[in-house]
Amino acid sequence: MAAKKKRMTQKEKDFNRKYKKELQEKGLIPPDKKRLNRKKFIEEAVSEWNDRDSDCYIWDFYLMRAVGYMTAQVGRNLNPTPEAVGVAKVLKAAMKLKEFQDKIKSEGREDYTITEEYEYIKEILKM
């Protein structure tokens, strides 16, 4: 049977915090990162994407390279990061949207509602 993990005392936590700060001041470990404002980040990224250079005709090339880098991201324990999973969901959603378009076309339809499209891909979005 595995031994129970002992909780650290406040004295131990304070010591670790102080030691970490000293190591950061000496430059031996990197400083703490500021928390990302996700909403602002998304707004900036969408704005930059919408304002991209329209004279460039290979944006899909750059986008696919970025997807490759993002899906290769791993955490400390070599498991995929949540960001990598998010990008993989985007890829799956794109494939599902193509499948939806093919289905609509095979039914001889040209029109559909956004709700129909959303219903077709929502299982991926909620994974």
Side-chain angles (χ1 to χ4, degrees):
M1 198 150 132
K4 236 182 168 183
K5 193 172 184 179
K6 184 181 145 193
R7 297 188 95 184
M8 285 199 301
T9 65
Q10 189 60 46
K11 187 177 180 181
E12 290 170 323
K13 289 178 187 178
D14 291 341
F15 173 79
N16 286 346
R17 202 172 294 120
K18 184 180 173 191
Y19 189 65
K20 179 182 175 186
K21 192 176 250 183
E22 286 175 18
L23 291 175
Q24 285 175 332
E25 286 171 1
K26 291 178 184 176
L28 298 173
I29 61 173
D32 296 333
K33 287 199 294 188
K34 255 181 80 177
R35 195 171 160 94
L36 179 66
N37 180 336
R38 293 175 178 185
K39 185 176 180 180
K40 183 179 174 189
F41 181 77
I42 291 169
E43 288 170 356
E44 287 174 359
V46 169
S47 177
E48 286 176 27
W49 181 255
N50 290 338
D51 295 339
R52 69 187 180 277
D53 181 7
S54 60
D55 292 336
C56 179
Y57 296 106
I58 58 169
W59 281 110
D60 53 342
F61 168 75
Y62 295 121
L63 195 54
M64 290 313 297
R65 287 201 50 200
V67 164
Y69 281 114
M70 289 301 299
T71 55
Q73 295 296 304
V74 293
R76 292 181 200 176
N77 55 1
L78 299 180
N79 287 334
T81 63
E83 294 82 5
V85 173
V87 172
K89 286 170 76 170
V90 168
L91 294 175
K92 283 212 167 262
M95 297 302 291
K96 204 75 165 144
L97 287 169
K98 168 72 167 89
E99 187 179 295
F100 177 75
Q101 287 293 321
D102 292 345
K103 178 181 172 253
I104 294 295
K105 203 178 282 185
S106 73
E107 293 172 356
R109 297 170 46 197
E110 291 183 18
D111 296 333
Y112 59 89
T113 65
I114 296 296
T115 305
E116 277 182 280
E117 187 178 65
Y118 173 77
E119 288 294 323
Y120 201 80
I121 68 165
K122 77 178 181 183
E123 72 181 48
I124 292 168
L125 302 176
K126 295 183 179 197
M127 290 178 126

